[in-house]
Amino acid sequence: MRLKDDFFRSQNMIYLQTMKNGYELTVLLLKLYLLSVSDNGRIAFTDVPGANRFSLLSRMTGHTAKFIKEAIPIFEEFGLVETLSNGAIYVPAIPALVGKASEEADRQREYQRKKKAESEACEKTG
């Protein structure tokens, strides 16, 4: 997963951080991002009743279930997460932050690094 360099300067993040417990909200959001990466933006709860998913998320993130229960509606209001009909949490930003685009960027950086190293080697020997 790759965050864009303006992640903390986005309107949502600026507003989120000005709220009560804003930095804790930001950290929780980042943890939800990371938890959802392996399932294309979803955090699924198999056979977990609604109230217990907050307890499970609490164990997964290190935040209290009460805090998570208060945070999810805030994230939903900002469009940062969605609660699906089956109770799973979906993070819509994740598909854009992972995948082939990131792999291609890595390939391009490696190519540019090698090209620069070859250029520098030629300058030293030339």
Side-chain angles (χ1 to χ4, degrees):
M1 181 183 87
R2 295 180 190 267
L3 293 177
K4 298 184 190 253
D5 64 348
D6 66 346
F7 176 79
F8 287 105
R9 292 187 308 267
S10 71
Q11 281 187 326
N12 281 341
M13 290 301 104
I14 290 170
Y15 186 70
L16 197 63
Q17 290 177 29
T18 62
M19 297 177 73
K20 179 182 177 197
N21 298 319
Y23 285 97
E24 188 175 3
L25 286 166
T26 304
V27 170
L28 174 60
L29 179 64
L30 289 171
K31 288 178 181 181
L32 294 178
Y33 273 28
L34 292 171
L35 286 171
S36 72
V37 165
S38 63
D39 196 10
N40 297 317
R42 285 177 8 114
I43 304 170
F45 305 96
T46 309
D47 299 323
V48 177
N52 288 337
R53 70 187 174 119
F54 296 115
S55 296
L56 182 57
L57 278 172
S58 174
R59 287 194 297 271
M60 295 166 78
T61 63
H63 297 271
T64 67
K66 180 180 185 273
F67 181 75
I68 293 169
K69 191 172 185 175
E70 294 169 357
I72 296 296
I74 295 168
F75 296 155
E76 288 176 329
E77 181 182 335
F78 291 172
L80 300 169
V81 303
E82 299 170 12
T83 300
L84 304 178
S85 60
N86 64 0
I89 293 175
Y90 177 65
V91 183
I94 291 301
L97 299 176
V98 297
K100 294 197 182 292
S102 294
E103 292 171 14
E104 180 61 24
D106 286 342
R107 240 186 324 278
Q108 285 292 336
R109 271 191 292 284
E110 182 62 19
Y111 172 75
Q112 294 297 330
R113 187 193 62 74
K114 284 181 182 178
K115 196 171 160 180
K116 182 178 179 183
E118 288 173 5
S119 174
E120 290 172 355
C122 286
E123 289 177 10
K124 288 180 183 178
T125 61

